Amino acid sequence: MEEYCCVLLTVACFISLPSVQSENYYAKNALTADGGWLSTRNSSPADEGPCTVEVRDQSLTYSQFIERYAYSRPVIIRGLTDNTKFQFQCSKSSLLQEFGDRMVRLSTANTYSYRKVDVPFQEFVEHLLRPQSLETLGSDTLYFFGDNNFTEWRSLFQNYFPPPYTLPGTSGAYSFGIAGPGTGVPFHWHGPGYSEVIYGRKRWFLYPPEKVPNFHPNKTTLSWVVDTYPALNQEDRPIECTIHPGEVLFFPDRWWHATLNLDTSVFISTFLG
Ligand SMILES: *[C@@H]1O[C@H](CO)[C@@H](O)[C@H](O)[C@H]1NC(C)=O
Ligand SMILES: *[C@@H]1O[C@H](CO)[C@@H](O)[C@H](O)[C@H]1NC(C)=O
C-alpha cells in the first residue's frame, strides 16, 4: 500500500494568523478577470464536457450536506464562501512579488508520484508552467500541487476561507497548486475533501470506490480523455463536471478521480483527515 502514497496524500498542517496586509497592498495589485494567468495562446485543449455531478447553491444546509453527500456522492456547491481577497493575492503579479524567490516542490504527474524537484517559484512560473503536450507521459510532467511550506506561505493561506461544511471528527488541511492547460492528475483516490479553482477551469472525472476505472497510471488525463474516454460505454462513463471560480467540488472518501485543467489554473484543495 506504500505505493499509494502519492503527492496528493501529502497534507500539511496549517495555522491561521491574523492578516497584516495593508489596504494599499490590494489597491496596488489591480486584478484582471484571469489574474494575469491566462493568455489567448493558452487556449483550451479540451472542452468542458457534460456535467453529471449534482450542483447546489448556498441554500444547501449542513444537515442536507451530511445526509445526501458527505458519505455517498460528490457535489458541487456554489457561493459558499467569498474568497475575493485570496483571489487578489493569487494573481500572477502578486504571487511573484510576494513569493518569487521561495522554493516550491514539484512532483511528477502520475498516479503513484515518484520524483520530486525543488525550484524557485519564479522559475516554475516562467519556465515550467506550460501547456501539456499529448505525447508527454505523466511520469515526465512536473506538477505543482501540495507539499506546500506553510511557514513560508502563511500570509497566503491565512486569507483562504475553506468550505464551512466539514465531516465530524475531521479537520481540514490545504494543498495549493498552479498548473498549465491540459495538465492534470490521472485516476487515484484518497480521503474526502474539497477542490476549488481560484483562476481557470478544472474538469473532474469521478468513479465510486467499487468501480475501478480503466487507465494507465503513467499516462496523463489528457491522453485518457483523447484515447480512452470517447470509447467508453454509457455505463462505464465517469461522473463528471467542470468547476469554475466560485464553485467547490466535494469528493467523498475513496472515490476515484482524475482532473484536467482546461486553462492555466490556480487551485486549492482542503483535505478532511
Ligand atoms: C519551511 O520553511 C521554513 C522557513 O524558511 C524552514 O525553516 C523549514 O525548514 C521549511 N520546512 C520544510 C518542511 O521544508
Ligand atoms: C511508471 O513510471 C515509473 C517511473 O518512470 C516506472 O518506474 C514504472 O514502472 C511505470 N509504471 C508502469 C505501470 O508502466
Side-chain angles (χ1 to χ4, degrees):
M1 286 308 281
E2 197 54 33
E3 282 178 328
Y4 268 79
C5 195
C6 65
V7 59
L8 301 158
L9 294 169
T10 309
V11 218
C13 292
F14 157 74
I15 304 160
S16 183
L17 289 179
S19 172
V20 290
Q21 301 289 6
S22 70
E23 280 172 31
N24 210 0
Y25 174 89
Y26 297 101
K28 271 195 322 224
N29 291 274
L31 185 67
T32 56
D34 64 14
W37 289 107
L38 281 65
S39 72
T40 48
R41 201 168 52 83
N42 286 356
S43 63
S44 296
D47 67 16
E48 296 194 6
C51 182
T52 52
V53 178
E54 290 186 26
V55 180
R56 305 295 298 262
D57 63 21
Q58 72 273 32
S59 66
L60 179 74
T61 65
Y62 180 60
S63 61
Q64 287 169 338
F65 168 74
I66 291 293
E67 276 162 33
R68 181 158 179 85
Y69 304 106
Y71 304 103
S72 44
R73 56 177 71 80
V75 62
I76 290 167
I77 315 173
R78 290 191 177 135
L80 263 189
T81 51
D82 179 1
N83 275 304
T84 310
K85 194 173 171 185
F86 184 70
Q87 194 183 43
F88 243 118
Q89 206 182 354
C90 288
S91 74
K92 189 173 179 178
S93 60
S94 296
L95 282 186
L96 281 174
Q97 187 181 327
E98 202 174 348
F99 302 106
D101 56 357
R102 298 287 167 81
M103 300 298 281
V104 290
R105 176 155 292 183
L106 312 178
S107 310
T108 49
N110 44 343
T111 291
Y112 314 117
S113 192
Y114 301 92
R115 206 154 47 87
K116 306 248 183 197
V117 180
D118 291 333
V119 296
F121 180 64
Q122 178 155 359
E123 187 183 324
F124 164 71
V125 170
E126 285 171 3
H127 303 294
L128 298 169
L129 184 60
R130 55 186 173 217
Q132 176 80 47
S133 82
L134 192 51
E135 300 74 33
T136 313
L137 285 174
S139 39
D140 293 328
T141 302
L142 288 170
Y143 201 67
F144 170 37
F145 178 59
D147 283 325
N148 309 115
N149 185 321
F150 288 85
T151 306
E152 295 193 339
W153 293 70
R154 186 172 54 211
S155 62
L156 179 70
F157 289 103
Q158 71 191 4
N159 286 327
Y160 179 63
F161 293 108
Y165 298 164
T166 60
L167 304 179
T170 68
S171 61
Y174 300 149
S175 278
F176 177 75
I178 303 174
T183 61
V185 286
F187 283 102
H188 65 284
W189 56 265
H190 43 64
Y194 289 97
S195 167
E196 177 163 3
V197 283
I198 306 304
Y199 291 110
R201 297 164 301 160
K202 191 188 285 282
R203 189 171 171 187
W204 276 75
F205 305 93
L206 304 112
Y207 286 99
E210 67 279 6
K211 195 160 172 65
V212 182
N214 169 20
F215 73 104
H216 187 291
N218 282 348
K219 289 199 178 161
T220 61
T221 305
L222 183 60
S223 73
W224 183 84
V225 168
V226 172
D227 299 335
T228 306
Y229 175 90
L232 292 176
N233 295 325
Q234 199 58 37
E235 65 271 21
D236 292 330
R237 298 238 157 185
I239 294 174
E240 62 175 290
C241 200
T242 296
I243 57 169
H244 309 82
E247 298 174 330
V248 293
L249 180 139
F250 169 77
F251 46 87
D253 192 21
R254 289 169 183 259
W255 273 62
W256 288 96
H257 55 274
T259 59
L260 179 66
N261 297 297
L262 299 185
D263 311 298
T264 298
S265 299
V266 179
F267 46 97
I268 184 164
S269 286
T270 306
F271 292 100
L272 300 171

